[in-house]
Amino acid sequence: DQQVKQNSPSLSVQEGRISILNCDYTNSMFDYFLWYKKYPAEGPTFLISISSIKDKNEDGRFTVFLNKSAKHLSLHIVPSQPGDSAVYFCAATRGGNKLIFGTGTLLAVQP
Amino acid sequence: NAGVTQTPKFRILKIGQSMTLQCTQDMNHNYMYWYRQDPGMGLKLIYYSVGAGITDKGEVPNGYNVSRSTTEDFPLRLELAAPSQTSVYFCASSRGQVEGYTFGSGTRLTVV
């Protein structure tokens, strides 16, 4: 039972364009959502988060949108850079102490 | 600033052997976690701890044991290794319940 789903295993975009990574969840009790970025042979690193009381959070080039009625969140990267090429995981939690991760989306930003 | 340190980075085990994956953090975080990542899959929670002396099971605890005798250390023990335990193991820590985790760089384990 996959509670957090990333249905696109991979995404390719041109440098300078927008990257949109999507994530769906099934548990309406989740109250906090996070995005992590992972390079090969490294651990995931925290990127950005959003509480369920908000519908948008921005940090520089990264914006996360939350649509609670659709149980959907997305990560927008504008403009995309080659260094953004990595696997992106969305994660969700209820109460905070056990993150449930999606399966990841491999983003390739072409120069 | 070491963060979360995992050892070893790579290991090959034979079926039935046992080993301990080490995890140490120097950030005085209360919360620590063990995840495994199988190819093409997300990270699955094995065990977690909310403080020294307190541990609890995650989604996939079978075949593993943990202990948390100090704030800094959270070792993961594999008894009777099986091929299904071939995976990349990540340890993580966090200060509080809703803060982003800090992950180690992982241990790649192969059971043959």
Side-chain angles (χ1 to χ4, degrees):
Chain A
D1 177 27
Q2 190 73 25
Q3 296 187 67
V4 179
K5 302 176 185 178
Q6 294 176 256
N7 293 318
S8 298
S10 63
L11 174 68
S12 182
V13 300
Q14 290 294 121
E15 181 178 5
R17 305 295 290 269
I18 184 171
S19 296
I20 300 176
L21 296 99
N22 294 304
C23 179
D24 297 295
Y25 60 95
T26 58
N27 190 341
S28 58
M29 301 301 290
F30 286 142
D31 56 10
Y32 204 73
F33 304 88
L34 305 92
W35 284 94
Y36 283 80
K37 177 179 178 179
K38 184 183 181 303
Y39 293 117
E42 295 183 12
T45 55
F46 171 69
L47 192 57
I48 192 169
S49 63
I50 187 167
S51 165
S52 60
I53 63 173
K54 295 186 176 181
D55 54 20
K56 178 182 174 181
N57 188 29
E58 262 182 286
D59 184 1
R61 297 185 297 115
F62 303 91
T63 303
V64 56
F65 295 92
L66 176 62
N67 182 333
K68 289 186 289 294
S69 61
K71 295 191 182 68
H72 178 83
L73 66 157
S74 60
L75 174 68
H76 293 209
I77 307 174
V78 183
S80 301
Q81 300 174 353
D84 296 328
S85 297
V87 177
Y88 289 79
F89 291 98
C90 67
T93 181
R94 175 188 176 189
N97 68 343
K98 288 189 289 183
L99 286 182
I100 307 297
F101 284 84
T103 52
T105 297
L106 175 62
L107 173 66
V109 180
Q110 309 296 335
Chain B
N1 54 342
V4 177
T5 302
Q6 290 183 239
T7 57
K9 291 191 182 304
F10 305 94
R11 183 72 186 268
I12 298 175
L13 277 183
K14 293 185 178 179
I15 294 171
Q17 286 185 321
S18 60
M19 76 164 293
T20 299
L21 282 67
Q22 301 292 345
C23 176
T24 299
Q25 54 95 4
D26 62 358
M27 298 171 285
N28 202 33
H29 285 172
N30 286 324
Y31 297 83
M32 296 189 75
Y33 315 85
W34 275 106
Y35 284 86
R36 59 177 284 175
Q37 185 190 12
D38 300 326
M41 303 295 288
L43 286 79
K44 298 288 188 182
L45 181 64
I46 305 171
Y47 270 96
Y48 68 101
S49 169
V50 301
I54 306 170
T55 63
D56 206 348
K57 296 178 181 179
E59 302 171 78
V60 289
N62 292 341
Y64 306 95
N65 279 299
V66 293
S67 60
R68 183 96 182 271
S69 56
T70 66
T71 300
E72 295 78 19
D73 300 307
F74 191 39
L76 178 70
R77 179 80 176 167
L78 279 72
E79 306 281 2
L80 298 174
S84 61
Q85 293 177 303
T86 294
S87 190
V88 181
Y89 291 83
F90 291 101
C91 178
S93 71
S94 68
R95 185 183 312 280
Q97 289 186 322
V98 293
E99 291 188 9
Y101 297 180
T102 300
F103 280 85
S105 57
T107 294
R108 184 175 295 275
L109 175 67
T110 302
V111 182
V112 296

